[in-house]
Amino acid sequence: MLTEAVIGRPDPRLRQWVDRYLGYREDAPVPLVRREVAGAFVVLILGWGDPLDVTDPRAPGEGAYAANAFLAGPFDGWCATRTAGTGTGVQVLLTAPAARRLLGLPLAELTNRAVPLDAVAGWLARLRDELAGEPGWPERFARLDAALAARLAATAPLDPHLAAAWRRLDGSGGAVGVTTLAGELGWSRRHLSVRFRREFGLPPKTVARLLRFERAYASLGRTLLTAAAAVPDDTGWAERAARWGYYDQSHLIREFREFAGATPAALTAPGSHSSNPA
């Protein structure tokens, strides 16, 4: 179980790239298995202590095993983590543009994969060791600020067309169509899809679905809080589907099964062990 969680706010100059840092310590005396939902983001774990396994049920060979520091995603399906013992580290959620800029590699190389840091980014592996040697969370967050700022200064900016495409999709919550998006950029639909998938790991249509799902999933977290407070919520799933931008309730449930491995009702049930990316 999570025994310590400390939120760190990055330097203001980094806010467009990184929303927050999460320092954690987790003790699991018996194996703990969690379902991790899909997302158009990249998860960076800079950890030390006991390792964990990350597995994709669709492709077990693409996971990371006995790793305490790794990069994961983007994922267009749910995966699972299994841990035991004591793990300590910092989690950073990166948007696809932030990860593309910081890592200096096309995210197609990470799609639906969890990769140990040593295999993909030696500077991050060294950073993990430096964080482990710091005396406390403020010092670790300050070192993260310095390392990420230095990395951004040393890497080339994103293609402005792709950066604009991401901002448009994200700003609309995935509501803008791919044909419309391509027309706004002056590209063909095919050219946009090929470039977008290579650089950001997933095609724009899938990213649009995931952006909508992420917002729906985050709203589901508020439903959980309402239930915990014993406040009645009479809103039906059909109404929620419309509110979250889905065509109907069946569409909502299919998306949740694909991206979270369970229906919204199951995720709000007591004892659910899915992780929330928000």
Side-chain angles (χ1 to χ4, degrees):
M1 61 183 298
L2 194 65
T3 57
E4 184 179 13
V6 180
I7 300 296
R9 296 297 179 186
D11 182 285
R13 291 168 294 181
L14 296 173
R15 296 286 171 81
Q16 66 172 308
W17 304 102
V18 184
D19 177 60
R20 66 179 185 175
Y21 308 132
L22 173 63
Y24 66 88
R25 175 184 171 87
E26 184 168 57
D27 294 316
V30 297
L32 177 62
V33 179
R34 287 194 181 95
R35 185 186 296 116
E36 309 289 346
V37 302
F41 48 79
V42 171
V43 180
L44 168 61
I45 299 293
L46 298 160
W48 50 95
D50 292 315
L52 54 76
D53 300 331
V54 183
T55 56
D56 181 344
R58 303 169 299 175
E62 296 296 333
Y65 298 91
N68 54 17
F70 58 88
L71 286 157
F75 271 82
D76 61 7
W78 64 273
C79 62
T81 59
R82 182 182 186 277
T83 185
T86 300
T88 307
V90 180
Q91 173 184 281
V92 185
L93 293 183
L94 300 169
T95 65
R100 176 63 181 89
R101 175 78 180 268
L102 288 166
L103 298 175
L105 56 83
L107 296 190
E109 298 181 23
L110 292 177
T111 303
N112 294 323
R113 299 180 64 199
V115 184
L117 294 186
D118 291 334
V120 69
W123 69 275
L124 284 174
R126 293 189 294 273
L127 176 59
R128 183 275 311 268
D129 294 339
E130 293 170 358
L131 296 180
E134 294 289 355
W137 296 117
E139 293 84 2
R140 290 170 183 144
F141 297 151
R143 185 172 285 274
L144 267 169
D145 278 347
L148 296 182
R151 182 68 181 176
L152 287 169
T155 54
L158 300 174
D159 180 298
H161 290 84
L162 290 173
W166 183 275
R167 287 194 303 270
R168 183 77 166 91
L169 266 183
D170 187 42
S172 72
V176 63
V178 178
T179 300
T180 298
L181 185 60
E184 291 175 356
L185 297 175
W187 287 358
S188 71
R189 181 184 173 115
R190 174 174 172 75
H191 184 68
L192 170 62
S193 295
V194 169
R195 290 287 309 279
F196 197 99
R197 183 171 191 165
R198 171 176 166 76
E199 298 303 318
F200 296 144
L202 295 167
K205 185 174 181 179
T206 302
V207 168
R209 291 173 60 204
L210 285 167
L211 290 171
R212 180 174 55 206
F213 166 75
E214 288 171 19
R215 286 161 172 75
Y217 192 81
S219 297
L220 199 65
R222 289 194 287 274
T223 300
L224 286 167
L225 291 175
T226 299
V231 176
D233 185 350
D234 297 326
T235 306
W237 290 113
E239 184 177 337
R240 293 177 187 177
R243 179 196 307 162
W244 294 333
Y246 290 94
Y247 180 73
D248 56 23
Q249 179 178 342
S250 297
H251 189 193
L252 165 71
I253 291 173
R254 286 196 302 271
E255 295 281 89
F256 267 73
R257 286 188 185 277
E258 180 176 352
F259 294 146
T263 65
L267 292 170
T268 59
S272 173
H273 292 293
S274 290
S275 294
N276 193 330

